[in-house]
Amino acid sequence: MSASDKEVIASAPQGRPAKASGGDTKYARKQQAIIAAASEILNRDGVKGMTLANVASQVGLITTSVTYYFRKKEDLAVACFLDAIARVDALVETAAQEPDPPARVERLLKLWLELRHRVVSGEEPPVALFGDMRTLQKPQRTIVGDAYRRFFARLCALFESPEFSWMTPTLRAARAHILSEQILWGVIWLRRYDPDDFGRVHTRMCDILLHGFAGPGRTWRNVSISLDEMLPAAQQSAAHETFLIAATRLINERGYRGASVEKISERLNVTKGSFYYHHDAKDDLVVACFKRSFDTMRHIQRTVLAQSDDHWEQLTTLAAALFAYQISERGPLLRTSALVALPPSMRQEMIEAYGRISNRFGGVIADGITAGSIRAVDPMIGAQMFSATLNASAEYRWWVPGATGEQTHELYAKPMLMGLFAE
């Protein structure tokens, strides 16, 4: 670890060395108040939009007072993310005490929804969303990334049991990734529900995670997909299409701040002027990447729904096509974590567009329930969980060691559609 890394750690949640006087309690309370205010701003505006000045304003301090606790904005962001990881990790530690993996999954979701209830009710401070962690630069990115990987390893351990000895480390990692993405994306769609309904949400989420969507007599099948037959040729010029693909991949990997104009241009071996030829501003580029992803999802939905009247077949084919797209030369889809970097008006427009696409998944599930090919589950919650799993699959390289792109359908679609513990 470098000296600069140690300096960042010193200004993270633990702050300055403990003091012997009673004033340390006051110091710690003020530090936590700053982290809470910053976490709220991070969740609304991302790392890009958070400043020491607006955090200071929210806690009734001047900016220089905040720097007494956190020297730089990036150090404060680290503190927020480490605080969030520690709080969710504590839930995992409690859930791990349950006797078997299914009970651990149910307990973890229950604890997480109870935490969300307390946050929404104002009983606890906000929890920073993990999605914007990738926007940090080194050494802050390394510190937060290492902490998150330790948390993820403990999440994977929830699936360890003699009863499920067939579940290899690769299979456990994919299931842990699906579970973590439900928590990340759930913060967004839970806003539609009154906190008093979170108990019902827990029951319905667990039902889907444990038992999947398949109706009586329906089984898993690995559908073969030809994206060339399913998707039209790009409507933009080849250069523009290539630019959007490169930008999408870089934003998924490094977040909004990490995907600089210089890095996108460098990856494509073009000049910065080429970027400004296609897009006037970086926000416009993110919107263009989202719109391209949405157009792809809509086209795949229309194509699949026109091919069959069997709703279980529609759902499994949609999964096969969308997961195949994630690893194709045209893919992946832009991750929803990029939403937080957009200005509020643009962000709301993209969220609404994503909601309409998710509603179509919900429609397939609802029609399948009526026809009997899909289990009686909550269609809207099911659609959001399906979308979250699709979102997770774009990152399989980082979280599922040893997996190949061809395995993503088995690693992600199968446990989502058949249940996390379907062999």
Side-chain angles (χ1 to χ4, degrees):
M1 181 180 294
S2 69
S4 59
D5 284 355
K6 292 177 182 176
E7 179 179 312
V8 174
I9 290 176
S11 60
Q14 294 79 10
R16 300 173 185 269
K19 303 175 184 177
S21 68
D24 183 51
T25 302
K26 181 179 179 182
Y27 177 91
R29 284 201 302 267
K30 181 59 70 175
Q31 187 183 54
Q32 286 302 316
I34 292 170
I35 291 172
S39 296
E40 183 177 348
I41 294 170
L42 276 176
N43 292 347
R44 186 183 68 235
D45 302 329
V47 172
K48 167 179 171 270
M50 185 188 78
T51 67
L52 292 182
N54 58 19
V55 173
S57 175
Q58 191 150 325
V59 293
L61 295 173
I62 59 175
T63 304
T64 52
S65 295
V66 174
T67 60
Y68 176 70
Y69 299 88
F70 302 98
R71 295 181 181 89
K72 297 184 296 184
K73 157 185 162 174
E74 289 76 15
D75 298 343
L76 177 53
V78 168
C80 294
F81 290 130
L82 292 183
D83 173 75
I85 292 168
R87 291 166 71 184
V88 180
D89 198 18
L91 307 184
V92 174
E93 184 178 356
T94 301
Q97 299 171 14
E98 294 297 322
D100 57 68
R104 293 168 198 160
V105 169
E106 288 195 66
R107 183 74 184 281
L108 176 59
L109 281 176
K110 184 174 187 293
L111 292 169
W112 171 68
L113 283 162
E114 288 173 349
L115 173 61
R116 292 305 311 163
H117 190 295
R118 294 193 299 273
V119 169
V120 173
S121 302
E123 299 170 28
E124 282 198 33
V127 180
L129 302 182
F130 297 148
D132 215 32
M133 292 189 303
R134 70 195 68 234
T135 68
L136 295 171
Q137 305 298 313
K138 291 182 178 179
Q140 291 89 356
R141 179 185 174 95
T142 301
I143 294 165
V144 174
D146 287 348
Y148 190 85
R149 279 186 284 274
R150 290 191 292 271
F151 153 75
F152 188 77
R154 286 187 282 271
L155 193 63
C156 291
L158 294 183
F159 293 88
E160 294 179 3
S161 171
E163 181 184 357
F164 298 99
S165 57
W166 54 268
M167 203 179 285
T168 64
T170 297
L171 295 176
R172 288 198 296 270
R175 283 156 171 79
H177 193 199
I178 292 170
L179 184 56
S180 67
E181 197 70 23
Q182 303 305 330
I183 291 174
L184 177 64
W185 183 238
V187 175
I188 305 300
W189 61 261
L190 271 175
R191 296 170 184 169
R192 304 177 183 178
Y193 291 82
D194 188 284
D196 290 343
D197 292 328
F198 284 4
R200 179 171 58 88
V201 170
H202 169 256
T203 299
R204 297 183 178 195
M205 287 185 73
C206 288
D207 179 48
I208 292 169
L209 281 176
L210 298 182
H211 306 295
F213 293 92
R218 298 302 175 124
T219 58
W220 168 254
R221 64 189 185 96
N222 206 334
V223 183
S224 179
I225 293 293
S226 172
L227 290 175
D228 289 336
E229 296 177 4
M230 187 168 288
L231 291 172
Q235 296 182 351
Q236 300 105 334
S237 67
H240 193 198
E241 178 75 0
T242 300
F243 198 90
L244 291 178
I245 292 172
T248 297
R249 291 174 181 174
L250 199 55
I251 294 169
N252 280 357
E253 293 168 16
R254 302 300 303 275
Y256 182 96
R257 293 180 69 209
S260 65
V261 175
E262 289 80 2
K263 285 186 171 62
I264 296 171
S265 301
E266 180 182 319
R267 181 167 289 195
L268 292 174
N269 195 27
V270 298
T271 65
K272 287 173 61 175
S274 300
F275 169 88
Y276 293 109
Y277 174 77
H278 293 301
H279 300 284
D280 294 333
K282 196 170 173 183
D283 289 340
D284 296 330
L285 175 61
V286 177
V287 169
C289 290
F290 267 124
K291 287 184 175 178
R292 178 179 176 274
S293 293
F294 296 160
D295 286 344
T296 297
M297 295 174 76
R298 279 191 290 263
H299 194 92
I300 288 176
Q301 285 176 331
R302 285 195 297 267
T303 302
V304 169
L305 299 188
Q307 289 176 344
S308 172
D309 293 329
D310 185 290
H311 302 98
W312 172 246
E313 186 174 319
Q314 289 176 351
L315 192 61
T316 54
T317 306
L318 279 170
L322 290 165
F323 283 81
Y325 182 84
Q326 295 284 56
I327 62 167
S328 72
E329 293 182 357
R330 302 191 194 191
L333 302 166
L334 187 63
R335 280 181 53 84
T336 52
S337 55
L339 284 167
V340 74
L342 291 172
S345 59
M346 287 182 171
R347 186 189 315 161
Q348 188 57 37
E349 180 186 350
M350 295 301 101
I351 289 175
E352 290 173 0
Y354 195 88
R356 289 191 290 272
I357 292 169
S358 182
N359 287 344
R360 187 170 287 171
F361 291 135
V364 172
I365 295 168
D367 290 344
I369 294 169
T370 301
S373 63
I374 293 177
R375 291 178 57 244
V377 299
D378 188 307
M380 293 300 102
I381 291 178
Q384 294 292 346
M385 295 177 70
F386 180 92
S387 298
T389 304
L390 174 63
N391 201 46
S393 68
E395 291 194 320
Y396 79 92
R397 295 176 182 85
W398 293 284
W399 301 111
V400 188
T404 64
E406 292 71 23
Q407 293 175 300
T408 54
H409 194 214
E410 287 277 343
L411 290 172
Y412 287 89
K414 182 177 180 179
M416 184 70 258
L417 295 178
M418 303 302 295
L420 290 181
F421 299 98
E423 188 171 358

